[in-house]
Structures are given as C-alpha cells and as structure tokens.
Amino acid sequence: MQIANQLRSQSQGLLQANKNANDAIGLVKIADGALEEYQKLLVTARDKSVQATSDTNSDDARAALEADVKQLMEQANKIATETQFNGISLLDGTFTNKVFQVGSESGQTIAMSIGDAKTATLGVDDASIDLTTQTGADAAIQSFDTAIKTLDGIRSNIGSTQLALESRVRVNEATQVNVAAAESQIRDVDYAKEDAELQKNNIIMQANQYALQMSFQNQELVLGLLR
C-alpha cells in the first residue's frame, strides 16, 4: 500500500501542477495580448512621425501630429503600468525572476521575467518625443523602431515560455493518467491478496472449529462406550 499511496500523492501533485501551469499560461496570454495592442500604438505613432518628417507640414500641423503621438504614448504607458494578472503587475518591469511550479516534485519549475515596457524605459515618453522639427521627427522614427524591436524581444520570450508551459501540461496529463492507472492496478492486486488471505484464514478457522467439534464428539463416543 505504501507504493500505491506514493503514486496517489504523485497523481494529485500532477493535477495541481497542471492547474499552476494553466494559470501561468493565462498570465502570459494576458501579457502578450496587451503588448500586441501596445505595438499597434507604436506603429501608429511611427507613421505619424514619418508624416511629420516631411517639410510639407506647417508648424501647426507638426504640433498637431506631436499631440496625437503623445496621446498614443499615454495610452501605451497605461498598458504598461496597468496590465495585471491576479493583482500582479506584468509589464512595468517588476515581473522578474518569477517561478511557476509545473511538476509534482520540488524543483520542477519554469522561470520567467517580462521586460519593462514603460514608455520612459523605451524612450518614447513625452520628454523624448519632439515632432515640431524635421530633425526631431526623424529621431522619433528611430526611437519608435527601437521600441518596436524591444517589444518584439519581450513577446518572443513570452511566446517561448508559453510553448514550454503548454508542453509541460501535455506531459503532466499523460504522466498523471499512467500514474493513476498504476496506482489502481496496485490497489486491485493488494485487495485481491488481502481477500485471498482473508478466505484462507476463514478456511483455517472453519477447519479448526470442525476439528474441535469432532474431538468433542469422539470424547463423547468414548465415554459412551465406557459406561
């Protein structure tokens, strides 16, 4: 029964590990979805910077484009600072060296960090963007290109983690089924052995009772002959 109990513990641990892994998959999907929207804002801001680079724009037109871009970056920064999973901030640079327990045994983990996506960190905040001149607009294009590339790297890391988590879930599911089957088989065998032992003991007890009964009967027969 000790082996069966150990297998049961492993089976239940695998079930919990998969719950952990699925929670982690939910977390990385939220982070990646938010970053996808963030990148769309960056691309739009870059397009407006390209527009502002041309000297066909008046000063007023460039100022309007700059206002649009800064508003877009405000929204982007909100994504970075407000995206959470279960109260845990994901994109503000604080999600570092986090560990997901994805196995039934100690040390069976997947670690993950998500880079800082705040606009100030990426160099596309209000203080960094100036579209009022051709030179400033050209510099903004380069800044947005760098920011987009940085987010590509963050999303690539998230995607790799998601694949690892999904793979672990599949492995856990297969292992848990086999472990549960092994436990059931062992318990069935142990039950059969205990049942056989019980029947054996019953037979022995009945035989002893029969022998004792026959002994009493023989004693009575001998006494009857002596009378």
Side-chain angles (χ1 to χ4, degrees), residues 13-96:
L14 286 166
L15 290 173
Q16 182 59 55
N18 261 11
K19 290 180 181 179
N20 295 345
N22 281 315
D23 284 345
I25 290 171
L27 181 151
V28 298
K29 284 184 176 180
I30 287 174
D32 187 60
L35 289 173
E36 182 179 8
E37 292 303 314
Y38 195 134
Q39 281 192 311
K40 290 178 182 178
L41 295 173
L42 289 175
V43 171
T44 301
R46 185 189 188 280
D47 290 343
K48 290 183 178 294
S49 298
V50 171
Q51 182 180 349
T53 304
S54 177
D55 281 333
T56 56
N57 290 285
S58 65
D59 290 344
D60 288 343
R62 279 191 169 127
L65 288 170
E66 180 179 284
D68 288 345
V69 167
K70 289 186 174 182
Q71 186 175 16
L72 290 170
M73 291 305 95
E74 286 177 9
Q75 294 302 315
N77 201 55
K78 284 185 178 180
I79 291 175
T81 57
E82 296 177 5
T83 299
Q84 295 184 340
F85 177 87
N86 195 28
I88 302 169
S89 295
L90 302 180
L91 307 179
D92 64 353
T94 60
F95 196 88
T96 57

Side-chain angles (χ1 to χ4, degrees), residues 153-196:
I154 295 174
R155 292 188 68 191
S156 177
N157 178 61
I158 290 174
S160 297
T161 303
Q162 181 176 337
L163 290 175
L165 289 165
E166 290 172 344
S167 175
R168 189 62 194 227
V169 167
R170 291 192 293 271
V171 170
N172 284 349
E173 287 174 346
T175 303
Q176 192 275 330
V177 169
N178 291 329
V179 169
E183 180 209 347
S184 178
Q185 184 176 10
I186 291 172
R187 291 191 186 279
D188 287 345
V189 170
D190 287 344
Y191 177 79
K193 288 172 62 177
E194 291 176 1
D195 187 59

